[in-house]
Amino acid sequence: MIQFHFWDYVLFISPFLVILGLLYKYRSKAKSTNEYFKAEGNLSWFVAGTAMVATTFAADTPLAVTEIIRSQGIVGNWLWWYMSIGGFVTVFFFAKLWKRSKATTDLELIYIRYSGKEAEFLRSFKAVVIGLILNLIILGWVNLAMLKILPVFFPLYSPEIILAFLLVFGVFYTAIAGLRGISYIDVFQFFLAWIGCFLFAYFALELPQIEGLDGLKSKLPQTQLEFFPSLDKEGLPFDHFIILISVIWWSSWYPGSEPGGGGYIAQRILSTKNEDAALKSSLWFVIAHYFVRPWPWIIVALVSVVLFPNLSESESGSGFLMVLQNGMPNGMKGLLLSAFLAAYLSTLATHLNWGASYLVNDLWKPILKNQKGDSYFLKLSYVLQIFTASFAFLLAVYGMDTVKGAWVFLLEASSGIGFVLIVRWFYWRFSAKTEILAFILSPFVYLIVLKCFNSIFPYTVLYTSLSTAIILIVYSYIFPSTNKDQLKEFYHLVKPPFYFWKGLFENEKIEIYNNHIGYSILGVVSGLLFVFSGLYLVQSILWDGGFIIPTILFTMFGLVGLGIAVKKITSNN
């Protein structure tokens, strides 16, 4: 049982006083859905980008990382580090395209890109599937993480009752803040949560049972500390690693890492002031999410392996918080509790606002065809947020077991969808029917692969995504259906690379827009070099010690390349 002292109460309460002050200062005075869901498109790159990072740091994230490390070691983190590939592709290829679309939500792009009844159906279909069903699954595992955290701090109270109170506050907080208020509060919550985890990792290493980095290393098997996968060692199999970095990053839909951008990432990109801010916000998000944050989580997870070696799979994520029971200084427990609650509220608020934006802007508004004013739709969004929070609570209590399991299931069931989300920007023949087919085929082919061929992750994703992509390409060649005039309007609005659009214009004279393809490729390659080398630089400093100088050089090369790419692209619009 965790004992709270005076400084624990002080450091627990003080951040929430700051949050309440920010909530009052930036409370929403929205009179339109454009302000409530998009902040009227005038957020700075730092606020928008930090809000993305804060949302991806839910209470479930360190627990999921702990589950991974306890079963596979540090190398298991490639299960999510690989997503940085799609992240940098979004930064340098798609961020500006999103901003140019002038959409309120990413689903509104469907009306801009496609035409006909199939476009109306697709927009409504995705609003329900993503804005309601998948959003419920995401919030379900976020709430599941809180149900694992709360008993560590409050063993004498029902975690379900405490979670219910948090959800009520979260709905109230979301309704008052709107996207603008949520984003500004997210900036504070990100730094609160990151500093809390950093201090937690430091004091965890100082525990007498651990005795610093050297002591931790001596108490763990070498396989637990491997950074790269190997053909002859435990952890992440090498063939799984290859599939992650070569296929899954572009094939699977995953919140915060949608191929081509999407979801709340696109929402934050669309809320920025201009195209340059759109690029910089998404770049800061990728660097902060994959490079700045992970190591404190990893260190605490490794400490939990030493202190609690016999936890079951369903208990393994809780090992992160159980480290608090072992000699933390006064104040640390209160600070970490406030950090986790702030991270939880940040993610909850974003997903409630984002899900409601789909159901209001992309489902209900088109049905009513502007027969109601914005005040009606704002009230409807509050009702939908209550509904979503209630069902997400029930899902967490009765329908989930482990956070990692929910991650993997979503990657598998959505494999094949990502392909069309990328190609629709670059190839004119892809239609709304193609995207509808992708959503139907992906889970259907996945079930066939799973049941008939007895495949396991990530081969389920490999077979599903490749099979689906081939079918979609063939279908699009046979049945192009989008109105050509609308496609031409889309081309001139968004200004995608011309090469795969030239078949639309045949012999017409058409303006070819400068998309800086070469510098975009440089940005992606440099970004990956910077993040992966930076992660390994920390690994070398902590554990290996033999590759520090070459790793520093690789990290610097990546940073210089990033700087050149960003400067060139943002200075030549």
Side-chain angles (χ1 to χ4, degrees):
M1 180 176 177
I2 291 179
Q3 298 291 330
F4 272 58
H5 299 274
F6 171 77
W7 285 110
D8 291 305
Y9 288 110
V10 170
L11 292 178
F12 170 62
I13 295 172
S14 298
F16 278 91
L17 295 177
V18 175
I19 291 171
L20 289 173
L22 291 171
L23 181 60
Y24 177 78
K25 180 177 181 180
Y26 293 108
R27 65 191 184 281
S28 175
K29 299 177 182 178
K31 296 182 180 179
S32 70
T33 54
N34 186 51
E35 163 63 22
Y36 191 73
F37 295 130
K38 191 181 173 182
E40 293 185 333
N42 61 10
L43 291 181
S44 70
W45 69 266
F46 182 76
V47 171
T50 307
M52 298 181 205
V53 193
T55 299
T56 54
F57 182 6
D60 68 291
T61 315
L63 305 192
V65 170
T66 301
E67 290 176 8
I68 290 169
I69 287 177
R70 291 183 67 92
S71 62
Q72 296 180 301
I74 291 176
V75 70
N77 284 285
W78 287 102
L79 182 62
W80 64 281
W81 281 343
Y82 81 90
M83 294 178 183
S84 61
I85 301 173
F88 280 113
V89 170
T90 296
V91 172
F92 290 103
F93 282 91
F94 298 109
K96 287 196 168 190
L97 304 186
W98 277 114
K99 186 60 182 175
R100 291 170 189 164
S101 74
K102 301 178 182 179
T104 299
T105 68
D106 61 310
L107 297 192
E108 194 172 314
L109 183 77
I110 293 169
Y111 263 19
I112 300 170
R113 170 63 173 80
Y114 305 129
S115 62
K117 293 292 184 181
E118 60 268 24
E120 295 178 12
F121 171 79
L122 177 61
R123 187 180 183 186
S124 300
F125 173 76
K126 292 182 74 171
V128 173
V129 171
I130 300 177
L132 181 61
I133 298 173
L134 290 179
N135 198 35
L136 282 175
I137 293 174
I138 297 164
L139 285 174
W141 80 51
V142 171
N143 286 327
L144 174 66
M146 287 306 298
L147 289 176
K148 293 176 180 287
I149 290 170
L150 292 171
V152 176
F153 291 97
F154 308 107
L156 302 180
Y157 300 93
S158 167
E160 291 82 6
I161 292 176
I162 298 174
L163 179 61
F165 278 107
L166 287 174
L167 280 167
V168 170
F169 177 72
V171 172
F172 173 74
Y173 154 38
T174 306
I176 289 179
L179 184 66
R180 186 188 304 276
I182 291 170
S183 298
Y184 277 99
I185 295 170
D186 279 350
V187 174
F188 171 75
Q189 290 174 329
F190 163 69
F191 286 104
L192 170 66
W194 187 82
I195 291 171
C197 287
F198 182 86
L199 291 174
F200 187 25
Y202 173 80
F203 289 118
L205 287 172
E206 294 299 305
L207 292 173
Q209 304 96 312
I210 303 300
E211 299 177 320
L213 284 169
D214 291 337
L216 178 61
K217 183 178 180 180
S218 68
K219 295 175 175 64
L220 292 168
Q222 182 60 34
T223 53
Q224 200 94 38
L225 302 176
E226 293 292 336
F227 185 84
F228 293 110
S230 175
L231 292 173
D232 57 353
K233 294 182 180 179
E234 299 177 3
L236 180 70
F238 189 76
D239 55 335
H240 290 197
F241 171 74
I242 295 299
I243 295 172
L244 288 172
I245 64 172
S246 63
V247 176
I248 300 183
W249 73 264
W250 58 260
S251 66
S252 291
W253 184 96
Y254 188 84
S257 186
E258 296 88 345
Y264 60 81
I265 299 299
Q267 184 188 37
R268 275 359 195 287
I269 290 173
L270 291 166
S271 72
T272 54
K273 292 180 178 180
N274 51 46
E275 293 176 23
D276 290 350
L279 186 150
K280 291 176 181 177
S281 66
S282 52
L283 177 62
W284 164 233
F285 158 66
V286 177
I287 292 174
H289 180 48
Y290 295 102
F291 175 54
V292 173
R293 280 196 312 203
W295 276 106
W297 302 339
I298 293 170
I299 289 172
V300 175
L302 291 171
V303 169
S304 80
V305 174
V306 175
L307 297 180
F308 311 102
N310 299 317
L311 297 179
S312 67
E313 182 179 356
S314 62
E315 298 171 327
S316 61
S318 301
F320 186 90
L321 271 298
M322 292 173 66
V323 176
L324 277 174
Q325 300 173 358
N326 290 265
M328 288 290 118
N330 293 343
M332 188 64 239
K333 296 180 284 292
L335 176 61
L336 197 67
L337 175 59
S338 67
F340 269 81
L341 292 181
Y344 168 75
L345 289 173
S346 171
T347 303
L348 176 67
T350 292
H351 278 275
L352 290 177
N353 182 280
W354 168 58
S357 74
Y358 280 9
L359 296 172
V360 170
N361 192 71
D362 301 298
L363 178 65
W364 202 238
K365 263 190 175 183
I367 290 175
L368 293 184
K369 300 186 184 300
N370 296 321
Q371 295 176 10
K372 298 285 187 179
D374 273 355
S375 61
Y376 168 84
F377 291 113
L378 288 172
K379 292 174 183 176
L380 176 62
S381 71
Y382 306 149
V383 174
L384 290 171
Q385 289 164 10
I386 295 172
F387 172 86
T388 302
S390 301
F391 274 82
F393 172 81
L394 295 174
L395 183 61
V397 173
Y398 300 109
M400 288 186 170
D401 185 18
T402 69
V403 177
K404 180 189 171 186
W407 277 20
V408 173
F409 169 77
L410 193 54
L411 287 173
E412 291 177 309
S414 69
S415 53
I417 294 173
F419 175 72
V420 72
L421 298 181
I422 290 176
V423 177
R424 65 182 180 178
W425 294 96
F426 295 117
Y427 189 43
W428 68 275
R429 295 182 71 94
F430 269 51
S431 66
K433 291 180 180 177
T434 311
E435 197 165 330
I436 293 170
L437 183 60
F439 268 84
I440 296 172
L441 273 178
S442 187
F444 179 71
V445 175
Y446 161 64
L447 290 175
I448 292 176
V449 169
L450 182 66
K451 299 298 182 183
C452 298
F453 298 96
N454 199 30
S455 296
I456 60 172
F457 179 85
Y459 284 96
T460 48
V461 179
L462 174 65
Y463 300 145
T464 300
S465 58
L466 295 181
S467 301
T468 303
I470 292 171
I471 295 171
L472 294 176
I473 292 171
V474 172
Y475 177 86
S476 296
Y477 267 98
I478 298 173
F479 302 107
S481 60
T482 301
N483 180 278
K484 288 191 175 182
D485 289 335
Q486 181 156 347
L487 285 172
K488 292 175 181 178
E489 290 180 10
F490 176 81
Y491 172 80
H492 289 296
L493 174 67
V494 176
K495 304 178 179 65
F498 176 73
Y499 183 79
F500 291 108
W501 285 80
K502 62 183 179 181
L504 173 66
F505 297 98
E506 298 176 347
N507 296 321
E508 297 179 43
K509 290 185 177 180
I510 191 70
E511 182 178 359
I512 300 175
Y513 301 104
N514 183 8
N515 279 277
H516 309 288
I517 298 298
Y519 287 104
S520 294
I521 294 172
L522 174 64
V524 173
V525 174
S526 298
L528 293 172
L529 184 64
F530 173 69
V531 166
F532 294 158
S533 297
L535 287 170
Y536 189 63
L537 176 61
V538 178
Q539 167 88 2
S540 298
I541 293 171
L542 294 179
W543 316 116
D544 298 335
F547 301 95
I548 293 179
I549 299 301
T551 309
I552 289 175
L553 292 176
F554 277 114
T555 306
M556 293 304 298
F557 284 145
L559 185 60
V560 170
L562 264 180
I564 293 172
V566 171
K567 183 177 181 180
K568 186 66 178 179
I569 294 172
T570 57
S571 63
N572 290 280
N573 291 325

